[in-house]
Amino acid sequence: MQQSEILNDMPTGTPDIAISVRQTFGIESDMQVPAFSQTSDYVPEQDDSYRFDRDTTLAILAGFAYNRRVMIQGYHGTGKSTHIEQVASRLNWPCIRINLDSHVSRIDLVGKDAIVLKDGKQVTEFREGLLPWALQRPTALVFDEYDAGRADVMFVIQRVLEVEGKLTLLDQNRVIRPHPAFRLFATSNTVGLGDTTGLYHGTQQINQGQMDRWNIVATLNYLPHEEEEEIVLSKAPDYDNKQGRETIKATVALADMTRAGFINGDISTVMSPRTVITWAENARIFSDVGFAFRTTFLNKCDEIERPVVAEYYQRCFGTELPESGVKATLV
């Protein structure tokens, strides 16, 4: 997609309506949040069955309403990035995610000179990176895996963490001022203190001067057992009967055990709510809950850890995990 096409899809103005937090999110609050009346291609798709965590939702809404820099911290699989996206979808606010893995460099964020053809001639032209592009537009920019970012990248981000958030492009002798509707969010597994538990290799300590620039830090934990059951049932309605509900109850219980095992360091792979939903869907395809569990989750685990996970299965379902292949006829 050419940049000119992107610009046509992205709104250029500011939010033109206000929505009620109580009516839209079902949270007891008098807060009114600015929003866009029209959607665009960069607005995340709305999931009508999504369950909002009260504290995390209020933190994200404060970021949108009052231009606060918001960081969401929590274990893998709690849905930190999805939470931001689902709030943005209800505000019709364009949202872009960048995963700060070790391959994302300063040049990727800021931009670089590129050789392009103009009027049949090769010329050098500066191509903006995603950070200055987003900074100039009504965009919610989300940095995923924030505590895994490289040092050169983190210092670039530090420039825009201030409320005025001006970005200086040294190569262009330009100072970019943020759009009034630009918002900045981040998700992380730690709170900038590095990996003290051994669960998240690759994370590192974050400069405390930079951490201080994040106005709001919220913690998102796993869903309560009953709420997760209802979410899985909403995604897999075929299970909405007595036997199906018992199966979903057991699958969520197993997921809870993997999370406890992950936190305790017994296993290195954890079941997210998305994994539970996929397991339920695959069980319908194969007509075999055990085989679906193996292909959905167990085969992703380290071989040394599989007996531990198999024991979780036995405790939740009261039967040994079957070793045989799928016996059902696929239709």
Side-chain angles (χ1 to χ4, degrees), residues 241-264:
N241 52 62
K242 184 177 180 180
Q243 182 180 353
R245 282 184 172 272
E246 288 299 317
T247 299
I248 295 302
K249 184 177 182 178
T251 61
V252 175
L254 198 157
D256 287 339
M257 295 182 72
T258 67
R259 294 158 191 168
F262 177 73
I263 293 170
N264 294 332

mmCIF file of all heavy atoms in Angstrom, residues 241-264:
data_model
loop_
_atom_site.group_PDB
_atom_site.id
_atom_site.type_symbol
_atom_site.label_atom_id
_atom_site.label_comp_id
_atom_site.label_asym_id
_atom_site.label_seq_id
_atom_site.Cartn_x
_atom_site.Cartn_y
_atom_site.Cartn_z
ATOM 1 N N ASN A 241 -24.546 -26.203 26.571
ATOM 2 C CA ASN A 241 -25.467 -27.203 27.111
ATOM 3 C C ASN A 241 -24.796 -27.810 28.346
ATOM 4 O O ASN A 241 -23.666 -27.442 28.679
ATOM 5 C CB ASN A 241 -25.798 -28.279 26.067
ATOM 6 C CG ASN A 241 -24.551 -28.893 25.463
ATOM 7 O OD1 ASN A 241 -23.753 -29.500 26.169
ATOM 8 N ND2 ASN A 241 -24.373 -28.728 24.145
ATOM 9 N N LYS A 242 -25.483 -28.699 29.041
ATOM 10 C CA LYS A 242 -24.960 -29.198 30.311
ATOM 11 C C LYS A 242 -23.596 -29.865 30.149
ATOM 12 O O LYS A 242 -22.638 -29.554 30.865
ATOM 13 C CB LYS A 242 -25.955 -30.183 30.916
ATOM 14 C CG LYS A 242 -25.525 -30.684 32.287
ATOM 15 C CD LYS A 242 -26.570 -31.615 32.888
ATOM 16 C CE LYS A 242 -26.117 -32.105 34.267
ATOM 17 N NZ LYS A 242 -27.105 -33.023 34.883
ATOM 18 N N GLN A 243 -23.497 -30.782 29.187
ATOM 19 C CA GLN A 243 -22.233 -31.484 28.985
ATOM 20 C C GLN A 243 -21.148 -30.530 28.486
ATOM 21 O O GLN A 243 -19.990 -30.590 28.931
ATOM 22 C CB GLN A 243 -22.425 -32.631 27.995
ATOM 23 C CG GLN A 243 -21.154 -33.448 27.773
ATOM 24 C CD GLN A 243 -21.372 -34.587 26.792
ATOM 25 O OE1 GLN A 243 -22.509 -34.849 26.374
ATOM 26 N NE2 GLN A 243 -20.301 -35.265 26.430
ATOM 27 N N GLY A 244 -21.530 -29.644 27.557
ATOM 28 C CA GLY A 244 -20.558 -28.704 27.010
ATOM 29 C C GLY A 244 -20.012 -27.761 28.064
ATOM 30 O O GLY A 244 -18.809 -27.458 28.092
ATOM 31 N N ARG A 245 -20.883 -27.292 28.948
ATOM 32 C CA ARG A 245 -20.440 -26.387 30.016
ATOM 33 C C ARG A 245 -19.468 -27.087 30.966
ATOM 34 O O ARG A 245 -18.518 -26.469 31.458
ATOM 35 C CB ARG A 245 -21.643 -25.838 30.784
ATOM 36 C CG ARG A 245 -22.371 -24.717 30.049
ATOM 37 C CD ARG A 245 -23.491 -24.135 30.875
ATOM 38 N NE ARG A 245 -24.056 -22.946 30.232
ATOM 39 C CZ ARG A 245 -23.594 -21.711 30.405
ATOM 40 N NH1 ARG A 245 -22.563 -21.506 31.218
ATOM 41 N NH2 ARG A 245 -24.148 -20.685 29.792
ATOM 42 N N GLU A 246 -19.708 -28.371 31.221
ATOM 43 C CA GLU A 246 -18.774 -29.121 32.068
ATOM 44 C C GLU A 246 -17.405 -29.215 31.392
ATOM 45 O O GLU A 246 -16.360 -29.119 32.047
ATOM 46 C CB GLU A 246 -19.329 -30.523 32.348
ATOM 47 C CG GLU A 246 -20.509 -30.544 33.300
ATOM 48 C CD GLU A 246 -20.142 -29.992 34.680
ATOM 49 O OE1 GLU A 246 -19.055 -30.342 35.189
ATOM 50 O OE2 GLU A 246 -20.943 -29.211 35.237
ATOM 51 N N THR A 247 -17.419 -29.407 30.080
ATOM 52 C CA THR A 247 -16.154 -29.479 29.339
ATOM 53 C C THR A 247 -15.418 -28.141 29.391
ATOM 54 O O THR A 247 -14.206 -28.094 29.647
ATOM 55 C CB THR A 247 -16.416 -29.870 27.873
ATOM 56 O OG1 THR A 247 -17.048 -31.156 27.828
ATOM 57 C CG2 THR A 247 -15.115 -29.924 27.084
ATOM 58 N N ILE A 248 -16.145 -27.059 29.171
ATOM 59 C CA ILE A 248 -15.521 -25.730 29.196
ATOM 60 C C ILE A 248 -15.002 -25.407 30.602
ATOM 61 O O ILE A 248 -13.920 -24.830 30.764
ATOM 62 C CB ILE A 248 -16.524 -24.658 28.729
ATOM 63 C CG1 ILE A 248 -16.904 -24.885 27.267
ATOM 64 C CG2 ILE A 248 -15.933 -23.262 28.924
ATOM 65 C CD1 ILE A 248 -15.729 -24.872 26.308
ATOM 66 N N LYS A 249 -15.737 -25.813 31.612
ATOM 67 C CA LYS A 249 -15.300 -25.591 32.992
ATOM 68 C C LYS A 249 -13.966 -26.279 33.240
ATOM 69 O O LYS A 249 -13.052 -25.718 33.876
ATOM 70 C CB LYS A 249 -16.358 -26.105 33.966
ATOM 71 C CG LYS A 249 -16.040 -25.826 35.425
ATOM 72 C CD LYS A 249 -17.180 -26.293 36.325
ATOM 73 C CE LYS A 249 -16.870 -25.971 37.788
ATOM 74 N NZ LYS A 249 -17.992 -26.384 38.684
ATOM 75 N N ALA A 250 -13.827 -27.500 32.726
ATOM 76 C CA ALA A 250 -12.579 -28.245 32.901
ATOM 77 C C ALA A 250 -11.436 -27.624 32.094
ATOM 78 O O ALA A 250 -10.291 -27.576 32.566
ATOM 79 C CB ALA A 250 -12.780 -29.704 32.493
ATOM 80 N N THR A 251 -11.726 -27.142 30.886
ATOM 81 C CA THR A 251 -10.668 -26.545 30.077
ATOM 82 C C THR A 251 -10.136 -25.265 30.721
ATOM 83 O O THR A 251 -8.926 -25.016 30.736
ATOM 84 C CB THR A 251 -11.167 -26.220 28.653
ATOM 85 O OG1 THR A 251 -12.250 -25.288 28.722
ATOM 86 C CG2 THR A 251 -11.620 -27.464 27.921
ATOM 87 N N VAL A 252 -11.030 -24.445 31.265
ATOM 88 C CA VAL A 252 -10.603 -23.213 31.922
ATOM 89 C C VAL A 252 -9.831 -23.533 33.206
ATOM 90 O O VAL A 252 -8.844 -22.873 33.535
ATOM 91 C CB VAL A 252 -11.810 -22.304 32.214
ATOM 92 C CG1 VAL A 252 -11.385 -21.080 33.013
ATOM 93 C CG2 VAL A 252 -12.472 -21.866 30.902
ATOM 94 N N ALA A 253 -10.263 -24.578 33.921
ATOM 95 C CA ALA A 253 -9.540 -24.990 35.121
ATOM 96 C C ALA A 253 -8.118 -25.424 34.758
ATOM 97 O O ALA A 253 -7.155 -25.103 35.466
ATOM 98 C CB ALA A 253 -10.282 -26.133 35.818
ATOM 99 N N LEU A 254 -7.972 -26.150 33.641
ATOM 100 C CA LEU A 254 -6.647 -26.563 33.199
ATOM 101 C C LEU A 254 -5.802 -25.339 32.824
ATOM 102 O O LEU A 254 -4.610 -25.270 33.139
ATOM 103 C CB LEU A 254 -6.768 -27.523 32.018
ATOM 104 C CG LEU A 254 -5.545 -28.387 31.700
ATOM 105 C CD1 LEU A 254 -5.969 -29.630 30.935
ATOM 106 C CD2 LEU A 254 -4.504 -27.631 30.887
ATOM 107 N N ALA A 255 -6.434 -24.384 32.151
ATOM 108 C CA ALA A 255 -5.716 -23.160 31.797
ATOM 109 C C ALA A 255 -5.222 -22.445 33.049
ATOM 110 O O ALA A 255 -4.086 -21.946 33.100
ATOM 111 C CB ALA A 255 -6.626 -22.240 30.975
ATOM 112 N N ASP A 256 -6.063 -22.391 34.085
ATOM 113 C CA ASP A 256 -5.658 -21.772 35.352
ATOM 114 C C ASP A 256 -4.448 -22.490 35.946
ATOM 115 O O ASP A 256 -3.544 -21.852 36.501
ATOM 116 C CB ASP A 256 -6.817 -21.799 36.351
ATOM 117 C CG ASP A 256 -7.918 -20.816 36.004
ATOM 118 O OD1 ASP A 256 -7.634 -19.850 35.260
ATOM 119 O OD2 ASP A 256 -9.058 -21.000 36.470
ATOM 120 N N MET A 257 -4.413 -23.804 35.822
ATOM 121 C CA MET A 257 -3.292 -24.565 36.368
ATOM 122 C C MET A 257 -2.013 -24.285 35.602
ATOM 123 O O MET A 257 -0.925 -24.191 36.193
ATOM 124 C CB MET A 257 -3.612 -26.066 36.343
ATOM 125 C CG MET A 257 -4.763 -26.467 37.249
ATOM 126 S SD MET A 257 -5.093 -28.244 37.273
ATOM 127 C CE MET A 257 -3.674 -28.807 38.201
ATOM 128 N N THR A 258 -2.112 -24.134 34.271
ATOM 129 C CA THR A 258 -0.899 -23.809 33.507
ATOM 130 C C THR A 258 -0.371 -22.428 33.894
ATOM 131 O O THR A 258 0.842 -22.206 33.932
ATOM 132 C CB THR A 258 -1.159 -23.850 31.993
ATOM 133 O OG1 THR A 258 -2.049 -22.790 31.610
ATOM 134 C CG2 THR A 258 -1.732 -25.199 31.560
ATOM 135 N N ARG A 259 -1.279 -21.506 34.191
ATOM 136 C CA ARG A 259 -0.843 -20.160 34.575
ATOM 137 C C ARG A 259 -0.156 -20.167 35.932
ATOM 138 O O ARG A 259 0.859 -19.504 36.137
ATOM 139 C CB ARG A 259 -2.048 -19.216 34.568
ATOM 140 C CG ARG A 259 -2.615 -19.004 33.176
ATOM 141 C CD ARG A 259 -4.052 -18.532 33.193
ATOM 142 N NE ARG A 259 -4.644 -18.597 31.865
ATOM 143 C CZ ARG A 259 -5.929 -18.467 31.607
ATOM 144 N NH1 ARG A 259 -6.788 -18.266 32.598
ATOM 145 N NH2 ARG A 259 -6.382 -18.540 30.369
ATOM 146 N N ALA A 260 -0.728 -20.930 36.864
ATOM 147 C CA ALA A 260 -0.099 -21.060 38.174
ATOM 148 C C ALA A 260 1.265 -21.740 38.036
ATOM 149 O O ALA A 260 2.242 -21.331 38.681
ATOM 150 C CB ALA A 260 -1.002 -21.843 39.124
ATOM 151 N N GLY A 261 1.331 -22.771 37.180
ATOM 152 C CA GLY A 261 2.593 -23.456 36.949
ATOM 153 C C GLY A 261 3.626 -22.554 36.290
ATOM 154 O O GLY A 261 4.822 -22.612 36.606
ATOM 155 N N PHE A 262 3.152 -21.709 35.390
ATOM 156 C CA PHE A 262 4.034 -20.759 34.715
ATOM 157 C C PHE A 262 4.599 -19.754 35.712
ATOM 158 O O PHE A 262 5.800 -19.463 35.727
ATOM 159 C CB PHE A 262 3.244 -20.046 33.611
ATOM 160 C CG PHE A 262 4.011 -18.976 32.879
ATOM 161 C CD1 PHE A 262 4.998 -19.305 31.982
ATOM 162 C CD2 PHE A 262 3.718 -17.638 33.083
ATOM 163 C CE1 PHE A 262 5.703 -18.330 31.296
ATOM 164 C CE2 PHE A 262 4.406 -16.646 32.416
ATOM 165 C CZ PHE A 262 5.397 -16.995 31.515
ATOM 166 N N ILE A 263 3.731 -19.219 36.571
ATOM 167 C CA ILE A 263 4.164 -18.236 37.566
ATOM 168 C C ILE A 263 5.145 -18.865 38.554
ATOM 169 O O ILE A 263 6.125 -18.238 38.970
ATOM 170 C CB ILE A 263 2.939 -17.648 38.301
ATOM 171 C CG1 ILE A 263 2.099 -16.812 37.322
ATOM 172 C CG2 ILE A 263 3.357 -16.807 39.501
ATOM 173 C CD1 ILE A 263 0.754 -16.381 37.877
ATOM 174 N N ASN A 264 4.924 -20.146 38.898
ATOM 175 C CA ASN A 264 5.802 -20.830 39.844
ATOM 176 C C ASN A 264 7.086 -21.348 39.198
ATOM 177 O O ASN A 264 7.967 -21.852 39.901
ATOM 178 C CB ASN A 264 5.061 -22.012 40.498
ATOM 179 C CG ASN A 264 3.917 -21.547 41.384
ATOM 180 O OD1 ASN A 264 3.954 -20.455 41.938
ATOM 181 N ND2 ASN A 264 2.883 -22.388 41.504
#
